[in-house]
Amino acid sequence: MNINYDYIEEYIRSILKGGYGELSRLRDYANNNNIPIISPEVEQFIRILLKVSDAKNILELGTAIGYSALIMAEAANPDAKITTIEVRDDMYEMAKENISANKYSKRIRLIKGDAKEVVPKLNERYDFVFLDAAKGHYLGFFKDCIKKLNYGGIVVSDNVLYRGMVAKDELINKRDKTIVRRMRNYLDYISNLDGYITSVIPLCDGVALTYKEG
Ligand SMILES: C[S@@+](CC[C@H](N)C(=O)[O-])C[C@H]1O[C@@H](n2cnc3c(N)ncnc32)[C@H](O)[C@@H]1O
């Protein structure tokens, strides 16, 4: 179930169609193999955020096949670097192949591992974090990531409304109860955190934008 009217989403996608350049093959592959990647409208939103923020050091949690990492490499400042973390062996191998075959490969560092263990060990600071790994663990990921986030930096969290379940009890499936409870805690935490401003946007499956003041 989508959180927006289907006709609105279909209309927005119809005007974006054809805009994915050489990465369209990867989007098709993901769609045909049920691999969840960013929606076309979230993709455009991230492109604009990267341009407006001029982020130079980017961190992504949840690489899958490397699609969003490549999109970010294409959209960001030509000097920007991207570190992306993936826990699953099969996804990591596909991402490695897709990234190494791409002209932006030198700017992307792909790390295999659980973001919960990898992020605390990173010794760089970031301007932009894209949170797109296990949805039930966003709060832990966020707390680790903001320790590495520069002032003026942003965290973008995808799927935060979780097919609308986060906003309405009647929509919750039994098996998603824990994720929904955790996502509500997460949104409550980031929306009321001193020194940060958060906006929850009902774009696609819900996107939260958190800005670190200072
Ligand atoms: C929604 S997909 C990422 C899609 C990708 N960002 C894109 O838009 O092209 C989520 C990915 O996060 C990975 N993942 C889940 N939990 C993780 C964790 N704890 N650490 C690293 N990766 C994780 C999953 O294996 C999956 O490939």
Side-chain angles (χ1 to χ4, degrees):
M1 144 148 200
N2 294 322
I3 63 170
N4 288 314
Y5 291 114
D6 287 349
Y7 74 91
I8 300 276
E9 204 161 271
E10 278 160 23
Y11 170 71
I12 295 172
R13 289 186 187 177
S14 78
I15 52 173
L16 291 174
K17 209 158 55 189
Y20 315 126
E22 60 188 73
L23 292 169
S24 60
R25 189 189 60 79
L26 286 189
R27 179 174 283 290
D28 290 345
Y29 179 86
N31 289 344
N32 294 336
N33 292 280
N34 295 321
I35 297 168
I37 62 167
I38 44 169
S39 68
E41 50 277 35
V42 173
E43 171 180 328
Q44 291 303 85
F45 186 59
I46 286 178
R47 282 177 198 274
I48 292 172
L49 289 175
L50 287 171
K51 290 187 188 294
V52 171
S53 64
D54 197 28
K56 301 273 174 20
N57 210 8
I58 298 163
L59 175 64
E60 176 181 61
L61 278 60
T63 317
I65 61 170
Y67 182 81
S68 51
L70 289 165
I71 289 293
M72 292 194 284
E74 181 207 76
N77 184 296
D79 294 328
K81 290 182 302 168
I82 295 155
T83 299
T84 180
I85 307 166
E86 174 56 51
V87 73
R88 264 176 61 173
D89 291 331
D90 55 345
M91 291 295 151
Y92 170 82
E93 290 304 328
M94 276 192 270
K96 197 162 107 181
E97 200 174 306
N98 292 330
I99 292 169
S100 63
N102 190 279
K103 62 181 172 183
Y104 298 114
S105 61
K106 290 204 170 58
R107 289 172 34 210
I108 302 177
R109 178 185 173 206
L110 171 64
I111 301 176
K112 177 161 179 344
D114 185 331
K116 272 182 263 173
E117 287 153 28
V118 175
V119 174
K121 290 185 198 145
L122 295 172
N123 41 33
E124 289 184 32
R125 299 195 68 82
Y126 299 89
D127 311 303
F128 189 100
V129 176
F130 181 42
L131 215 51
D132 199 21
K135 310 299 161 190
H137 297 281
Y138 271 18
L139 184 54
F141 292 150
F142 180 88
K143 287 181 177 173
D144 288 339
C145 287
I146 57 172
K147 290 182 189 149
K148 321 266 169 183
L149 187 68
N150 286 323
Y151 291 111
I154 46 185
V155 178
V156 177
S157 318
D158 201 10
N159 309 104
V160 293
L161 294 175
Y162 210 67
R163 284 168 274 142
M165 293 183 219
V166 168
K168 199 172 168 74
D169 286 343
E170 287 77 2
L171 298 175
I172 304 173
N173 302 322
K174 226 176 178 181
R175 69 186 170 94
D176 292 318
K177 255 184 167 169
T178 305
I179 290 185
V180 171
R181 181 175 46 76
R182 290 181 179 180
M183 198 59 97
R184 285 176 175 169
N185 287 343
Y186 176 61
L187 290 179
D188 190 47
Y189 182 84
I190 62 174
S191 299
N192 297 290
L193 185 59
D194 279 350
Y196 293 80
I197 306 171
T198 289
S199 172
V200 179
I201 304 160
L203 178 69
C204 196
D205 199 24
V207 176
L209 204 57
T210 304
Y211 175 81
K212 183 172 182 174
E213 291 186 290

